[in-house]
Amino acid sequence: MNRKELIEQMLKDDPNDPFLHYGLALEQLREDDKKSARITFEHLIDSFPDYLPTYYHLGQLLEKLGHDDQALAIYHKGSDLAGKQRDLKTKAEIDEAIWELEE
């Protein structure tokens, strides 16, 4: 059983664990399955909007897919959330992504 299959099995037992969904999305990216990764990241934001790591990675994926406006919207939401959570490191990373994309 590979990592993706293992995560999928774990999700059957615990579908409310955002980390497992996040791990699945990263595995999908690793396999270059951008469509599935996007769906998984978007599910994460809809179901677990306070799970901060999602915003940076979904923004990065949207940029790679050429959806810069959507990426900026996700980055801004992530930056706001990082500020509310007082996660200054993540806020700085997301703000840098915003700055680079707007440049």
Side-chain angles (χ1 to χ4, degrees):
M1 185 179 296
N2 65 32
R3 280 189 291 197
K4 181 181 164 194
E5 292 169 339
L6 180 61
I7 293 169
E8 288 170 338
Q9 182 61 43
M10 293 169 70
L11 273 168
K12 288 179 184 175
D13 296 332
D14 190 2
N16 293 318
D17 184 341
F19 181 72
L20 291 175
H21 290 278
Y22 179 72
L24 177 60
L26 294 180
E27 285 301 309
Q28 291 164 332
L29 282 178
R30 192 178 66 74
E31 293 178 354
D32 202 34
D33 185 355
K34 293 176 181 77
K35 181 179 179 181
S36 294
R38 181 177 180 176
I39 290 168
T40 303
F41 281 134
E42 288 173 345
H43 168 74
L44 259 168
I45 285 180
D46 290 341
S47 300
F48 309 98
D50 291 336
Y51 195 73
L52 186 56
T54 308
Y55 293 85
Y56 180 80
H57 288 282
L58 177 55
Q60 292 286 294
L61 176 56
L62 290 168
E63 277 190 70
K64 288 178 185 170
L65 295 173
H67 303 292
D68 292 354
D69 290 342
Q70 292 174 2
L72 277 173
I74 290 296
Y75 285 145
H76 282 290
K77 287 180 184 179
S79 179
D80 291 345
L81 180 60
K84 289 176 187 170
Q85 292 182 358
R86 298 180 185 193
D87 186 334
L88 300 180
K89 181 180 182 296
T90 302
K91 182 167 177 31
E93 290 173 351
I94 293 173
D95 288 346
E96 182 176 343
I98 292 169
W99 178 79
E100 288 178 1
L101 191 55
E102 288 180 336
E103 194 172 70

